[in-house]
Amino acid sequence: MPRGLIIKALSGFYYVEEEQSKKVYKCRGRGVFRNQNITPLVGDDVTFQIEANDQGYVTKLDKRKNVLVRPSIANVDQVLLVFSVKSPDFNQVLLDRFLAVIESRFIEPIIILSKMDLIKEKEIESFVNYYASIGYKIVKTSKSDKRSIQNVCEILEDKISVLAGQSGVGKSSLLNAINPAFELNTDDISKALGRGKHTTRHVELYKVGNGLVADTPGFSSLDFRELEIDVLVLAQSFVDYFELSSNCKYRGCLHINEPKCAVKAKLNNDFVYDNRYNNYKNFHEEIKNQKVIYK
Ligand SMILES: Nc1nc2c(ncn2[C@@H]2O[C@H](COP(=O)(O)OP(=O)(O)OP(=O)(O)O)[C@@H](O)[C@H]2O)c(=O)[nH]1
Ligand SMILES: [Mg+2]
Ligand SMILES: [Zn+2]
């Protein structure tokens, strides 16, 4: 039986790219998935059966490495967190939230700082330095700087990636800059068509070299509860604290009220570090109180 990858889901059909020929078949899911309460997802490796011409049925799903809920996509290798440095302003609260969520899933986050043409490099330098120092890969882009777009292409090579970030940061523009043939709606165009933001869009993986990347509609909040992140997982998802915690006096220190805490000992030297700690504390409270903060 042929094998393939679901690259698009639309109106009950799964578009499966056959492994060898790379031909795409428009498939339905066998009823068996519905009975088992499983939905095939974009990113799923599947076995399928070819019917007439370019149509078929998905008959079996392979075990998944991971699943993202928003967007619904399986087997993600990395998430590109797109943050504009201006318009909308760079948002460290949201960055720390996204980083924690992605880390809690054991998926690699990569930080894309977009719209670099709107500021001077040094305005963002302290953020870049801090996040780079704790091990994050950071790429600065602007849609008309070809070199920066090339850097993004290199990161996408051989992987399944997802672009995530607030509305208006330039996710779709970035993909269009990589390949104008994608013809993704960007803010200006959707306005011209009279559509609001956040129009529901299907999930689709676009080809960039040997890699695949999914665009997503912007959203500005993620609920820790929905993702089942508890206070311990939160602490472990702050990669910088995870390392420092070996020097905290108490094993399992959550860096809140415990004495002789190595995370708190570093406060008051660097505003990016302090902001991040403040975010951490708020997320911790949010999880403890099980209430959602919408930014
Ligand atoms: N100056 C500047 N503007 C940009 C850049 N990239 C995107 N923009 C503008 O930012 C606006 C929003 O871009 P989109 O690509 O639609 O943003 P998005 O992240 O896809 O937004 P959603 O689809 O709503 O989540 C558009 O007006 C773009 O022209 C950039 O590198 N520099
Ligand atoms: Mg978009
Ligand atoms: Zn501590």
Side-chain angles (χ1 to χ4, degrees):
M1 284 251 240
R3 306 255 316 138
L5 172 76
I6 301 182
I7 54 163
K8 177 162 103 172
L10 183 64
S11 316
F13 287 102
Y14 306 103
Y15 293 77
V16 178
E17 187 188 77
E18 201 272 322
E19 224 166 43
Q20 260 118 46
S21 66
K22 302 289 174 196
K23 183 174 166 183
V24 177
Y25 294 85
K26 186 176 174 182
C27 298
R28 288 187 185 280
R30 279 264 187 237
V32 58
F33 295 127
R34 235 162 296 141
N35 301 337
Q36 293 170 351
N37 209 9
I38 306 170
T39 317
L41 294 176
V42 168
D44 264 328
D45 293 305
V46 303
T47 305
F48 67 109
Q49 189 181 316
I50 299 171
E51 300 287 311
N53 297 321
D54 53 357
Q55 314 229 338
Y57 285 96
V58 175
T59 54
K60 191 176 153 285
L61 307 180
D62 286 7
K63 201 171 157 11
R64 293 166 178 158
K65 181 163 81 174
N66 56 41
V67 179
L68 279 187
V69 183
R70 242 183 321 176
S72 289
I73 180 162
N75 301 316
V76 176
D77 293 310
Q78 57 188 13
V79 174
L80 275 56
L81 295 175
V82 185
F83 279 78
S84 51
V85 290
K86 209 176 175 64
S87 156
D89 281 345
F90 176 71
N91 184 336
Q92 195 188 351
V93 181
L94 206 55
L95 175 62
D96 286 335
R97 183 181 282 266
F98 275 31
L99 285 175
V101 168
I102 305 300
E103 290 287 355
S104 75
R105 296 273 156 127
F106 304 104
I107 299 173
E108 187 180 359
I110 289 168
I111 301 169
I112 307 287
L113 294 176
S114 63
K115 308 198 189 185
M116 283 300 292
D117 53 300
L118 298 179
I119 61 155
K120 295 201 176 66
E121 293 249 352
K122 70 172 194 310
E123 292 176 54
I124 199 82
E125 198 177 35
S126 36
F127 293 101
V128 172
N129 289 346
Y130 184 74
Y131 288 94
S133 78
I134 61 174
Y136 287 118
K137 202 181 280 176
I138 302 173
V139 187
K140 299 176 204 154
T141 66
S142 98
K143 66 174 180 181
S144 45
D145 174 8
K146 291 220 168 66
R147 177 124 195 201
S148 73
I149 300 302
Q150 188 50 40
N151 291 339
V152 176
C153 291
E154 279 162 25
I155 282 175
L156 299 177
E157 200 60 32
D158 295 325
K159 302 237 162 81
I160 293 185
S161 309
V162 170
L163 292 185
Q166 253 180 304
S167 188
V169 293
K171 299 178 293 296
S172 306
S173 301
L174 191 62
L175 288 181
N176 284 339
I178 288 172
N179 186 350
F182 293 153
E183 292 187 322
L184 292 162
N185 274 359
T186 58
D187 195 25
D188 301 335
I189 297 166
S190 50
K191 262 190 204 134
L193 292 172
R195 291 203 209 124
K197 285 183 181 176
H198 304 291
T199 37
T200 321
R201 279 170 279 179
H202 64 278
V203 184
E204 178 165 1
L205 287 168
Y206 297 92
K207 228 172 251 201
V208 177
N210 279 325
L212 292 163
V213 59
D215 190 16
T216 66
F219 45 84
S220 54
S221 182
L222 285 171
D223 186 344
F224 292 122
R225 191 169 32 169
E226 177 190 324
L227 298 158
E228 294 173 352
I229 296 175
D230 62 21
V231 289
L232 185 62
V233 171
L234 179 74
Q236 291 166 341
S237 301
F238 272 63
V239 289
D240 34 354
Y241 299 177
F242 188 60
E243 282 188 11
L244 284 168
S245 65
S246 57
N247 296 323
C248 293
K249 179 160 186 216
Y250 292 96
R251 266 183 91 112
C253 180
L254 294 177
H255 330 302
I256 303 291
N257 294 316
E258 300 91 336
K260 304 219 165 128
C261 165
V263 169
K264 282 192 291 177
K266 280 189 69 176
L267 286 167
N268 300 320
N269 292 308
D270 176 75
F271 82 97
V272 177
Y273 184 92
D274 293 0
N275 285 348
R276 181 157 158 90
Y277 180 73
N278 212 22
N279 295 337
Y280 170 76
K281 234 170 50 175
N282 289 337
F283 300 161
H284 175 94
E285 283 302 312
E286 178 183 331
I287 291 167
K288 258 179 58 182
N289 299 331
Q290 295 279 289
K291 76 171 194 263
V292 190
I293 297 168
Y294 289 103
K295 265 292 295 176

